[in-house]
């Protein structure tokens, strides 16, 4: 059956799997900031609502600034003659890998003074991951860009809905964040692997 599919369709299916899976993993990690970060700050470090609001807003701002700077840097590489794959994909690998690593470290520390900077660094890396993945969707999708975009967005939204729920359940059941931390590391590793296997035309 695999041999009956044209090379172009095989490439499109490969992108659905790799780019979609990478975004699922990225949004699973970023889902911590979207859903659990305020609760984590309140329950673990007993910060008041004013401080929680500032730190949550700072994480979103860092992600936005990271997207802007990452997009500019990636475009500069393209204009310098670097291939699309090399200008886009390694940035995403660094973003997802770095974001996961720093967030995992942040959740392992018992000091809010250390945790908060680590979390913001993680947010910055995750912003790079987002801009990379959506660049891949737009530039590598070809005739399947609309389908790839819809699939990627669906998987990202699904991850944001499911992963924080699983993390919350693990924290409630175990009384700590060890299993949730392990889940983030698992997602990060899977996302990096998926991104590394994204195929552009030259890498088909």
């Amino acid at each position: 059956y695999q041999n009956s599919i044209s090379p172009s369709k095989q490439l499109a299916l490969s992108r659905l799997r790799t780019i979609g899976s990478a975004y699922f993993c990225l949004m699973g990690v970023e889902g911590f900031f979207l859903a659990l970060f305020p609760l984590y700050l309140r329950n673990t470090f007993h910060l008041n609502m004013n401080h929680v609001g500032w730190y949550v807003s700072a994480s979103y701002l860092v992600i936005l600034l990271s997207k802007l700077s990452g997009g500019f840097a990636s475009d500069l590489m393209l204009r310098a003659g670097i291939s699309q794959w090399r200008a886009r994909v390694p940035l995403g690998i660094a973003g997802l890998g770095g974001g996961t690593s720093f967030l995992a470290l942040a959740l392992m520390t018992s000091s809010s003074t250390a945790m908060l900077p680590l979390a913001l660094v993680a947010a910055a890396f995750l912003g790079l991951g987002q801009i990379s993945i959506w660049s891949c969707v737009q530039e590598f999708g070809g005739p399947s860009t609309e389908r790839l975009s819809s699939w990627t967005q669906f998987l990202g939204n699904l991850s944001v809905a499911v992963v924080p729920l699983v993390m919350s359940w693990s924290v409630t059941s175990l009384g700590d964040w060890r299993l949730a931390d392990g889940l983030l590391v698992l997602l990060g590793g899977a996302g990096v692997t998926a991104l590394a296997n994204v195929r552009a035309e030259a890498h088909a």
Side-chain angles (χ1 to χ4, degrees):
Y1 175 73
Q2 188 80 7
N3 292 332
S4 67
I5 303 176
S6 67
S8 62
K9 288 186 178 180
Q10 288 185 28
L11 185 58
L13 289 172
S14 170
R15 288 164 176 167
L16 284 173
R17 291 191 296 267
T18 55
I19 297 176
S21 298
Y23 197 61
F24 178 92
C25 295
L26 174 74
M27 293 309 295
V29 177
E30 194 171 316
F32 171 82
F33 289 103
L34 299 173
L36 298 178
F37 195 36
L39 297 175
Y40 179 77
L41 292 173
R42 286 280 286 173
N43 294 340
T44 303
F45 299 110
H46 310 292
L47 299 180
N48 62 47
M49 287 301 295
N50 185 47
H51 287 140
V52 168
W54 278 106
Y55 291 134
V56 171
S57 296
S59 69
Y60 282 107
L61 180 60
V62 166
I63 289 174
L64 291 174
L65 291 175
S66 174
K67 289 179 183 180
L68 287 173
S69 60
F72 282 125
S74 187
D75 286 346
L76 282 175
M77 287 189 283
L78 276 179
R79 287 195 290 270
I82 297 175
S83 69
Q84 280 187 327
W85 193 93
R86 288 184 174 85
R88 305 305 192 195
V89 175
L91 185 72
I93 291 173
L96 185 49
T100 302
S101 299
F102 277 100
L103 185 54
L105 287 173
L107 295 183
M108 289 172 60
T109 183
S110 59
S111 166
S112 62
T113 304
M115 181 271 177
L116 293 167
L118 288 170
L120 292 180
V121 173
F125 272 103
L126 292 172
L128 297 179
Q130 276 216 27
I131 197 65
S132 167
I133 290 174
W134 282 109
S135 295
C136 290
V137 170
Q138 297 300 318
E139 295 176 7
F140 300 157
S144 303
T145 296
E146 292 82 3
R147 181 184 177 194
L148 177 58
S149 179
S150 298
W151 174 244
T152 301
Q153 189 65 63
F154 169 78
L155 288 176
N157 289 338
L158 177 65
S159 184
V160 171
V162 172
V163 173
L165 184 63
V166 174
M167 290 178 65
S168 299
W169 173 83
S170 72
V171 174
T172 302
S173 300
L174 299 178
D176 59 48
W177 287 80
R178 284 179 299 176
L179 183 58
D181 207 14
L183 176 60
L184 291 177
V185 172
L186 180 64
L187 284 170
V192 166
T193 301
L195 267 179
N197 284 283
V198 170
R199 296 165 62 195
E201 294 296 340
H203 287 70

